[in-house]
């Protein structure tokens, strides 16, 4: 449909008061945001079976490509990498007392004189090589790739139709999303984009403030300058304080969000769209997701699109309408619906001195997540110039070696009757990813009549799988054959009532974890 009807708009409490329209008078979305009147939403949705209602979106089913892929790589990268101190720089450089503020004043000057807009100009991405990087990502086992589209900093990484603050016009003066898309598609990877724009309105509110101490007491930061309002948003009194104020109630910004993210979808036709939060802004967000799904069907004749959102904070979440994303965490057990963990091998943006995840930790996370019907989306940290720090390079090389041998136990698999066994308790939920797994922690995946058992550490001597004892009730038939992926000959084993003992070869084919292929009589 070309427009949400006025009857539909007035059917929701938030929109009942929207009785005037400035959007119909023309002009950009950013101009609308600064206007004093309230726009009527314009929410064009591609024709198709999905409508912007909860009931319609709950008919969604995740495509098989996503269920089979299991592992994706993300480029969570942009101007906020420039200062080399990590995540949320564009916000905290305006918060006195925060290390980012102290760093900014020392390195660049006071934010009334040198603000985030000036950091953007420093982001030239002069060593960005999407073709070379995508070769490394594909070799490391990624089956899909996700590009940052726009972070909370309100800077679009594509050639935006609706926003002058974009990477094609400023900073690197290059269509970052388009370059990533071309490289991913050339190698047969599914392509996705992430949007963090929904929270930007409230998140960026400190840029309008000022120091409350000498020597610049009361001198406004550059975000208060009306000339910069389309980057920092017009001044408002709706700050981000907690997860319940993550999204603004301002309908003008809802329209801006819809216009820009729809442009991102239409221009790059992603297989996956990620929102950093719940589904934003009621009917506005539902309209965008309906457009994503219908556009996918129109292109390929079937629904191949994935929408990731979180059961966290404000916004809507319907587990049937999207693929749940769990930031830096996992789910407790086997989830009946496909889901995804998103995490990073380091900080979300490059940070000097940050402690990176080891390859053992990442591989253990991958096996644990896949055993529970999930996927792992892993950010690979990049330097501000677009190249890789040695920690990221090492991880990719070690993932490539491990996946070359063990990917059979990952790709295209489904959960078994139980996800695993072992002494280590895994906490469920977001920001709970720390777990010191051992070789006694084992995770199961399956394909057809084959069971895979993956140790979450390097085993020594023998492996004892208690879930495969004859009397445990998990295996319907006796074990017939045990192989270790990467070893040509079958392994010796002994199955008792209580445990399956597997004798290991003299040397292991891979570091970090081992995968066993088990067939039954």
């Amino acid at each position: 449909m070309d427009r949400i009807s006025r009857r539909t708009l007035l059917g929701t409490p938030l929109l009942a008061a929207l009785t005037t329209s400035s959007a119909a008078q023309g002009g950009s979305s950013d101009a609308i945001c600064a206007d004093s009147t309230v726009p009527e939403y314009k929410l064009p949705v591609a024709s198709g079976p999905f409508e912007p209602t909860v009931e319609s979106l709950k008919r969604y089913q995740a495509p098989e490509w996503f269920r089979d892929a299991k592992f994706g790589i993300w480029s969570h990268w942009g101007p906020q990498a420039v200062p080399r101190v990590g995540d949320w720089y564009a916000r905290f450089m305006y918060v006195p007392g925060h290390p980012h503020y102290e760093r900014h004043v020392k390195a660049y000057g006071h934010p009334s004189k040198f603000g985030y807009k000036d950091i953007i100009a420093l982001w030239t991405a002069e060593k960005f090589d999407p073709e070379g990087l995508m070769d490394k990502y594909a070799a490391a086992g990624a089956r899909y790739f996700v590009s940052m589209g726009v972070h909370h900093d309100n800077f679009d990484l594509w050639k935006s139709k609706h926003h002058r603050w974009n990477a094609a016009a400023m900073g690197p003066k290059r269509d970052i999303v388009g370059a990533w898309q071309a490289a991913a598609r050339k190698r047969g990877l599914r392509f996705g984009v992430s949007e963090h724009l929904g929270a930007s309105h409230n998140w960026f509110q400190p840029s309008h403030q000022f120091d409350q101490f000498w020597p610049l007491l009361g001198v406004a930061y550059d975000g208060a300058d009306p000339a910069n309002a389309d980057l920092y948003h017009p001044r408002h009194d709706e700050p981000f304080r907690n997860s319940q104020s993550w999204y603004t109630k301002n309908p003008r910004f809802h329209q801006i969000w819809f216009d820009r993210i729809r442009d991102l979808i239409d221009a790059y036709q992603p297989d996956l769209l990620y929102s950093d939060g719940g589904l934003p802004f009621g009917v506005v967000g539902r309209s965008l997701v309906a457009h994503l799904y219908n556009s996918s069907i129109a292109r390929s004749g079937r629904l191949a699109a994935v929408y990731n959102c979180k059961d966290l904070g404000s916004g809507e979440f319907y587990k049937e309408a999207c693929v749940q994303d769990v930031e830096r965490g996992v789910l407790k057990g086997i989830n009946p619906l496909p889901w995804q963990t998103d995490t990073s091998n380091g900080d979300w943006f490059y940070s000097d001195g940050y402690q990176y995840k080891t390859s053992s930790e990442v591989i253990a996370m991958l096996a644990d997540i896949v055993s529970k019907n999930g996927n792992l989306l892993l950010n690979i940290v990049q330097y501000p110039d677009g190249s890789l720090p040695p920690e990221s390079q090492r991880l990719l090389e070690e993932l490539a070696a491990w996946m070359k041998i063990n990917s059979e136990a990952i790709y295209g698999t489904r959960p078994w009757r139980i996800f695993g066994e072992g002494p280590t308790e895994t906490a469920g939920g977001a920001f709970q990813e720390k777990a010191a797994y051992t070789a006694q922690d084992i995770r199961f995946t399956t394909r057809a009549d084959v069971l895979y058992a993956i140790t979450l550490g390097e085993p020594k001597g023998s492996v004892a799988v208690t879930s495969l004892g004859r009397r445990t009730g998990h295996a319907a038939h006796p074990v017939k054959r045990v192989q270790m992926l990467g070893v040509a000959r079958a392994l010796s084993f002994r199955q008792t009532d209580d445990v399956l003992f597997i004798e290991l070869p003299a040397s292991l084919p891979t570091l970090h974890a081992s995968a066993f292929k088990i067939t039954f009589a």
Side-chain angles (χ1 to χ4, degrees):
M1 62 186 172
D2 292 329
R3 183 174 178 145
I4 299 294
S5 69
R6 193 170 186 80
R7 177 177 296 177
T8 302
L9 287 174
L10 296 178
T12 65
L14 173 62
L15 301 173
L18 302 185
T19 58
T20 63
S21 173
S22 65
Q25 300 170 11
S28 72
S29 295
D30 293 311
I32 291 170
C33 189
D35 193 80
S36 60
T37 58
V38 179
E40 181 181 274
Y41 289 144
K42 290 184 177 180
L43 307 174
V45 175
S47 297
F50 287 96
E51 299 176 352
T53 64
V54 175
E55 294 73 19
S56 180
L57 294 179
K58 280 185 175 181
R59 298 200 300 268
Y60 173 78
Q61 289 187 325
E64 288 300 297
W65 76 258
F66 182 81
R67 301 197 67 196
D68 291 341
K70 304 304 182 186
F71 179 50
I73 283 178
W74 190 8
S75 175
H76 191 289
W77 175 60
Q80 289 179 91
V82 168
R84 302 168 68 100
V85 293
D87 200 17
W88 281 32
Y89 186 86
R91 173 180 170 84
F92 286 129
M93 61 167 280
Y94 295 104
V95 179
H98 192 278
H100 289 4
Y101 175 91
E102 306 301 330
R103 156 73 175 174
H104 187 85
V105 171
K106 182 178 180 179
Y108 305 110
H110 192 263
S112 64
K113 301 173 183 177
F114 193 105
Y116 186 65
K117 69 181 187 307
D118 304 296
I119 294 291
I120 289 172
L122 299 179
W123 185 50
T124 58
E126 64 273 16
K127 295 183 180 179
F128 175 47
D129 176 16
E131 298 291 335
L133 290 171
M134 203 63 67
D135 281 339
K136 296 177 187 294
Y137 299 158
R143 291 294 178 90
Y144 59 107
F145 175 84
V146 177
S147 168
M148 173 85 75
V150 51
H151 200 249
H152 311 316
D153 64 350
N154 199 27
F155 185 73
D156 293 346
L157 300 190
W158 74 97
K159 191 175 182 179
S160 178
K161 291 180 180 178
H162 301 283
H163 194 49
R164 70 183 177 102
W165 296 91
N166 71 79
M170 301 178 183
K173 296 185 179 179
R174 187 172 179 183
D175 183 348
I176 300 296
V177 173
W180 280 129
Q181 181 214 44
R185 293 262 164 87
K186 186 184 297 184
R187 289 155 183 80
L189 275 63
R190 295 282 183 164
F191 178 70
V193 291
S194 68
E195 72 82 14
H196 313 243
L197 179 62
S200 178
H201 183 272
N202 292 357
W203 184 90
F204 233 161
Q205 195 261 356
S207 66
H208 294 270
Q209 302 302 310
F210 48 84
D211 287 356
Q212 299 186 37
F213 48 86
W214 298 105
L216 296 175
L217 174 66
V219 178
Y221 304 144
D222 69 325
D225 185 346
N228 303 325
D230 53 349
L231 176 63
Y232 301 108
H233 310 293
R235 183 171 179 81
H236 57 84
D237 295 318
E238 189 186 10
F240 161 64
R241 291 192 177 92
N242 53 49
S243 62
Q244 297 308 311
S245 57
W246 190 239
Y247 292 144
T248 180
K249 297 179 174 63
N250 186 333
R252 301 181 187 89
F253 183 73
H254 301 170
Q255 184 69 62
I256 290 172
W257 177 86
F258 180 90
D259 292 343
R260 282 166 56 188
I261 305 307
R262 187 181 189 272
D263 174 42
L264 181 61
I265 291 170
D266 292 348
Y268 302 94
Q269 302 180 351
D271 301 297
L272 180 148
L273 173 66
Y274 165 109
S275 283
D276 191 7
L279 176 61
F281 312 138
V283 69
V284 179
R286 293 195 299 272
S287 296
L288 187 83
V289 174
H291 180 70
L292 173 72
Y293 292 165
N294 289 342
S295 298
S296 173
I297 295 169
R299 285 196 304 273
S300 62
R302 56 190 173 86
L303 179 55
V306 170
Y307 176 62
N308 290 139
C309 69
K310 302 177 182 180
D311 183 15
L312 186 67
S314 55
E316 298 177 345
F317 176 77
Y318 310 102
K319 62 183 180 181
E320 305 92 347
C322 68
V323 172
Q324 180 179 359
D325 181 89
V326 183
E327 182 174 349
R328 289 194 183 269
V330 299
L331 296 183
K332 189 71 173 175
I334 297 173
N335 199 53
L337 296 173
W339 59 281
Q340 176 180 274
T341 287
D342 77 277
T343 190
S344 177
N345 71 317
D347 204 342
W348 283 118
F349 292 101
Y350 178 78
S351 179
D352 287 324
Y354 198 88
Q355 184 174 354
Y356 285 76
K357 289 182 175 66
T358 65
S359 300
S360 294
E361 290 172 325
V362 171
I363 290 168
M365 285 188 67
L366 175 65
D368 177 61
I369 290 161
V370 171
S371 75
K372 298 172 180 176
N373 205 26
N375 286 21
L376 172 62
L377 178 61
L378 177 68
N379 174 53
I380 298 295
V381 173
Q382 292 168 256
Y383 281 134
D385 64 15
S387 62
L388 297 177
E391 295 87 351
S392 291
Q393 181 67 40
R394 187 180 310 116
L395 173 61
L396 291 170
E397 291 169 354
E398 295 186 1
L399 280 174
W402 191 87
M403 282 291 205
K404 186 176 181 180
I405 300 297
N406 297 294
S407 62
E408 179 184 335
I410 301 295
Y411 301 138
T413 62
R414 297 293 183 266
W416 193 46
R417 298 175 182 179
I418 57 174
F419 69 85
E421 65 178 53
T424 305
E425 288 288 330
T426 305
F431 308 104
Q432 299 283 341
E433 64 183 354
K434 290 291 185 182
Y437 292 116
T438 70
Q440 288 70 49
D441 293 298
I442 297 172
R443 295 295 181 265
F444 301 114
T445 63
T446 186
R447 182 191 292 107
D449 57 353
V450 172
L451 177 68
Y452 299 95
I454 308 170
T455 66
L456 302 190
E458 294 183 52
K460 295 180 180 180
S462 65
V463 171
V465 188
T466 58
S467 300
L468 293 179
R470 285 193 296 259
R471 293 193 307 188
T472 63
H474 295 305
H477 302 284
V479 173
K480 177 182 178 181
R481 181 181 175 89
V482 178
Q483 297 169 273
M484 175 179 274
L485 297 185
V487 175
R489 64 176 180 83
L491 302 184
S492 298
F493 69 91
R494 179 166 56 91
Q495 187 181 24
T496 70
D497 286 346
D498 301 313
V499 67
L500 172 70
F501 290 104
I502 304 172
E503 296 299 321
L504 297 178
S507 61
L508 301 178
T510 56
L511 300 172
H512 312 301
S514 296
F516 301 90
K517 183 177 182 178
I518 301 168
T519 55
F520 299 91

